[in-house]
Amino acid sequence: MIRPSGLAIYAFAYLVFLYLPVLFLPLFSFNDGTIVAFPIKGWTLEWYRQLGGQETLIRALMNSLLVGVVTALLATSMGLFAARAYVRYSFKGKQASEGLVMLPLVIPGIIVASSMLVLFISIGIKPSLTAVILGHTFLALPFSVSIMKSAFDDFDASLEEAAFDLGSSTVETFRRVTLPIVAPGIVASLLVTFTVSFDEFVLAFFLSGNQPTLPVYIWSQIRFPAKLPNTLALGSLLLLASVALLVVAEYFRRRSSKSTI
């Protein structure tokens, strides 16, 4: 009989501690009562039904979708070329440049948000969705670069050389040889950066002004007990969507790694 090791027990306990509260979110979203506590009074879909009639919620959702899509496109476009440069070429300041790109992962979000707010106001950019997009692109770029580097790491450069030998231009080779091979990595980057932007709160709170994104809207609602059931229902849907996007992104990331071997 195989007994679980201490490390396995610790890992299981850690996962339970981390994710068990999250599992209560969809559970209480079906609660018939407005008080989040056991025992559950009854089961209902009323809170989900009410979500469709809230105009402010729909507007915040549209704001988040717009910001997420534009951020994903910008971050992935820059991450694609940055990752190609880091993998293929050696140049002065390469390591320092990579460190600067990854810096947003280690800087506290409140510091980044407040600094960006001061910077944008000083150059004439008022708190708006444009400011949120710029901030989220800065935050999402490290994720894109990491994903695209894994797509380029095992890319066979001889394929591009063969295309050049056959008379293809640099642009045509990139379009017809490079892009199809790293396409799964691009899709994974788009999905991950969209998720990062869609779920981000601190930067959006500082930079959105009177155009709140969905996380900012949820924060404004969760302070009122009467709004809590609707917020739980909304949070459950967001949780499901985020997990689905990350699963799809991981699938394409692994497909990208296999296709470049």
Side-chain angles (χ1 to χ4, degrees):
M1 181 178 179
I2 300 177
R3 295 183 179 180
S5 64
L7 182 60
I9 295 175
Y10 171 79
F12 177 77
Y14 174 79
L15 291 174
V16 170
F17 174 78
L18 191 63
Y19 290 108
L20 187 59
V22 178
L23 297 179
F24 283 126
L25 181 66
L27 178 63
F28 283 114
S29 69
F30 295 105
N31 186 16
D32 192 30
T34 58
I35 299 177
V36 181
F38 288 108
I40 293 178
K41 294 178 58 178
W43 305 97
T44 182
L45 294 174
E46 176 64 20
W47 314 123
Y48 288 90
R49 188 190 64 79
Q50 292 181 5
L51 293 178
Q54 301 182 25
E55 295 183 4
T56 307
L57 166 62
I58 301 301
R59 194 178 307 115
L61 175 61
M62 293 298 105
N63 289 341
S64 282
L65 290 174
L66 173 63
V67 170
V69 169
V70 177
T71 296
L73 292 174
L74 291 176
T76 299
S77 299
M78 292 187 288
L80 171 65
F81 294 107
R84 178 179 169 84
Y86 291 144
V87 172
R88 290 294 179 84
Y89 305 106
S90 296
F91 51 89
K92 188 176 181 180
K94 176 181 176 180
Q95 292 184 345
S97 174
E98 286 191 67
L100 287 175
V101 170
M102 297 299 171
L103 203 57
L105 297 178
V106 296
I107 300 178
I110 188 93
I111 302 299
V112 175
S114 56
S115 300
M116 283 192 169
L117 179 62
V118 173
L119 173 64
F120 289 158
I121 291 178
S122 66
I123 62 177
I125 300 178
K126 297 180 179 180
S128 61
L129 292 184
T130 300
V132 177
I133 289 172
L134 294 175
H136 282 190
T137 302
F138 172 78
L139 184 67
L141 184 58
F143 295 92
S144 177
V145 171
S146 297
I147 293 172
M148 294 311 305
K149 279 186 67 177
S150 68
F152 278 111
D153 272 337
D154 298 315
F155 185 92
D156 189 355
S158 63
L159 296 175
E160 292 181 333
E161 295 173 0
F164 291 139
D165 292 339
L166 293 173
S168 295
S169 65
T170 302
V171 174
E172 187 177 8
T173 299
F174 185 78
R175 179 176 63 86
R176 302 184 65 177
V177 178
T178 306
L179 280 182
I181 294 178
V182 300
I186 294 175
V187 174
S189 174
L190 288 170
L191 293 174
V192 169
T193 52
F194 175 84
T195 303
V196 169
S197 172
F198 193 84
D199 293 341
E200 202 282 328
F201 169 75
V202 178
L203 281 174
F205 179 76
F206 275 77
L207 302 177
S208 60
N210 60 354
Q211 297 176 295
T213 60
L214 196 57
V216 177
Y217 170 82
I218 292 175
W219 177 84
S220 68
Q221 297 297 301
I222 205 170
R223 295 175 296 170
F224 304 101
K227 300 288 186 178
L228 189 56
N230 294 112
T231 305
L232 292 176
L234 177 60
S236 300
L237 295 177
L238 293 179
L239 177 63
L240 179 62
S242 297
V243 171
L245 283 176
L246 290 176
V247 169
V248 175
E250 179 63 14
Y251 165 77
F252 280 102
R253 187 194 67 79
R254 294 188 178 187
R255 182 178 173 183
S256 174
S257 299
K258 292 179 180 179
S259 66
T260 55
I261 295 177

